[in-house]
Amino acid sequence: MKLAVAAVLSLMISMPAAAQDAKAELARLKPKDFPAQPIEFTVVYPAGGGMDVTGRLLAKYVEKWSGERVIVNNRTGGAGMVGHTYLATQAKPDGHTVGVLANLVWGDAMLRAQGRWTLADLEPIGYLNTDALTWVGRTDGPYKGYSLKQIVQAAKDKPGTVRVATVPGSMWEYLVEQIEAAHGAKFLRVPFQGGGAGISALVGGNVDVAQGFYSEFRGHLDGGKVAPLAVASAGRMDFLKDMPTFNEALGGKEYIWQVIRFAVVPKGTPADRKAWLGAAVRAAMKDPELIAEYRKFGVYFDPKLVNSANLAKDLGDYAEAERSFYQKTGRLK
């Protein structure tokens, strides 16, 4: 897997000719009299965060390759629910609105939408990148030098003594739940609003384990204040090759929790406009400069989605795996 990821990254960074082909495809697919106004990229999380940065970088390079103006609008609230609901039920399906989303929308659709909308109301047009949840520990304190397996054993031997940062109702909490159920461990869960806050608490000695994304703990890793324990992805990260996956460290196959970022349009968007918008996203994603920008944040590119011939189906496979977890844990009937 890690070799495949490295190969995909190498291929994507050496694609100027492919990008020019994508520009030609854009010209061929351009609908008449479209767009008639700036295209809005809707980001459902606040400015400054990972999703916002992802959306604004994408907008910049879509503008570069399409020659059309793109604006970014942050429609926030309800931990993403406000923006997701807007895109699924209120946005005009005329091609002028594109959602820049993460797979967190799956949880909203399955658990919080209460039938008002479903994933079928949003049609994927392009894959962007993936960010896997990582556990990091302290480089001092009682668990200095512990591996993930040793920390889990400590949480089993002395239940409720190992403090782990979580974000309630999210993959942060679900991963802890999976580990506890499989290994008989019991962590003391300390809730935070997001991964960054939990990592700050780890550095301050207020928790023993934190969960987050590479961009959130990279500075502390470089400063020698945190140590990576494991990553919840299918394969090791190209930039942290010595860090095992949870599945490797704990002998499982179910420990995959990651943020998958992609672009969508509302259901009913005209086929020709949807096709052109998809081509614009693909052109941007073949630009070496954009790939380099994204890589600065420690993301990686899932080969299955990069090379997908049916993005809706391949994203749906991941969504079904998440649905199975919700059903298994009683969150979804």
Side-chain angles (χ1 to χ4, degrees), residues 293-316:
E293 292 273 16
Y294 279 155
R295 289 195 72 191
K296 290 178 184 178
F297 296 96
V299 303
Y300 69 100
F301 302 91
D302 185 331
K304 175 181 177 179
L305 300 178
V306 168
N307 300 310
S308 177
N310 188 334
L311 185 60
K313 178 186 179 301
D314 290 337
L315 286 171

Side-chain angles (χ1 to χ4, degrees), residues 64-319:
K64 171 183 174 179
W65 287 98
S66 72
E68 301 294 340
R69 187 173 173 220
V70 180
I71 60 174
V72 176
N73 191 1
N74 299 85
R75 293 183 181 268
T76 64
M81 188 65 175
V82 169
H84 292 154
T85 301
Y86 165 76
L87 287 167
T89 66
Q90 300 168 17
K92 291 182 179 179
D94 61 3
H96 290 101
T97 301
V98 174
V100 180
L101 304 183
N103 57 315
L104 303 176
V105 68
W106 300 339
D108 277 357
M110 297 173 194
L111 303 176
R112 298 206 288 167
Q114 298 180 336
R116 288 172 292 173
W117 55 274
T118 71
L119 292 175
D121 293 311
L122 301 169
E123 300 180 348
I125 59 169
Y127 165 68
L128 306 179
N129 58 54
T130 302
D131 216 347
L133 193 61
T134 301
W135 276 25
V136 291
R138 294 172 60 185
T139 51
D140 59 8
Y143 305 105
K144 177 182 178 180
Y146 273 43
S147 67
L148 174 67
K149 192 171 182 178
Q150 289 172 319
I151 286 178
V152 172
Q153 186 63 46
K156 180 177 180 179
D157 294 340
K158 296 182 179 180
T161 60
V162 180
R163 303 165 298 172
V164 60
T166 66
V167 179
S170 72
M171 66 177 72
W172 281 254
E173 185 174 53
Y174 304 154
L175 179 53
V176 175
E177 186 174 318
Q178 281 180 320
I179 293 171
E180 289 180 335
H183 297 275
K186 184 65 177 177
F187 290 91
L188 176 60
R189 305 183 195 185
V190 184
F192 292 92
Q193 292 288 327
I199 290 166
S200 295
L202 175 71
V203 173
N206 297 311
V207 295
D208 303 304
V209 175
Q211 308 179 73
F213 301 108
Y214 180 66
S215 61
E216 295 175 318
F217 65 80
R218 178 174 54 188
H220 298 305
L221 180 66
D222 292 343
K225 294 181 179 180
V226 303
L229 296 171
V231 60
S233 62
R236 294 194 181 196
M237 299 293 95
D238 186 56
F239 42 85
L240 283 174
K241 290 185 172 67
D242 294 331
M243 179 176 59
T245 68
F246 279 87
N247 288 330
E248 288 177 311
L250 300 179
K253 59 181 181 180
E254 70 273 24
Y255 306 116
I256 298 179
W257 291 103
Q258 52 197 4
V259 170
I260 303 171
R261 301 184 177 100
F262 53 96
V264 303
V265 292
K267 180 181 178 180
T269 298
D272 60 340
R273 298 183 179 189
K274 178 182 173 182
W276 183 82
L277 289 166
V281 171
R282 288 193 299 274
M285 289 303 303
K286 291 174 181 176
D287 192 310
E289 293 180 5
L290 178 56
I291 298 303
E293 292 273 16
Y294 279 155
R295 289 195 72 191
K296 290 178 184 178
F297 296 96
V299 303
Y300 69 100
F301 302 91
D302 185 331
K304 175 181 177 179
L305 300 178
V306 168
N307 300 310
S308 177
N310 188 334
L311 185 60
K313 178 186 179 301
D314 290 337
L315 286 171
D317 290 344
Y318 283 117

Side-chain angles (χ1 to χ4, degrees), residues 4-91:
V5 172
V8 169
L9 290 174
S10 176
L11 177 64
M12 294 179 79
I13 293 174
S14 59
M15 299 183 108
Q20 292 295 340
D21 290 344
K23 192 167 186 178
E25 181 186 31
L26 268 174
R28 177 175 60 82
L29 293 175
K30 183 77 182 294
K32 184 179 180 181
D33 301 325
F34 176 81
Q37 61 194 54
I39 297 168
E40 177 186 303
F41 277 13
T42 297
V43 176
V44 306
Y45 297 102
M51 284 303 305
D52 180 64
V53 171
T54 296
R56 291 182 187 278
L57 283 172
L58 181 65
K60 174 183 174 181
Y61 286 89
V62 166
E63 280 192 340
K64 171 183 174 179
W65 287 98
S66 72
E68 301 294 340
R69 187 173 173 220
V70 180
I71 60 174
V72 176
N73 191 1
N74 299 85
R75 293 183 181 268
T76 64
M81 188 65 175
V82 169
H84 292 154
T85 301
Y86 165 76
L87 287 167
T89 66
Q90 300 168 17

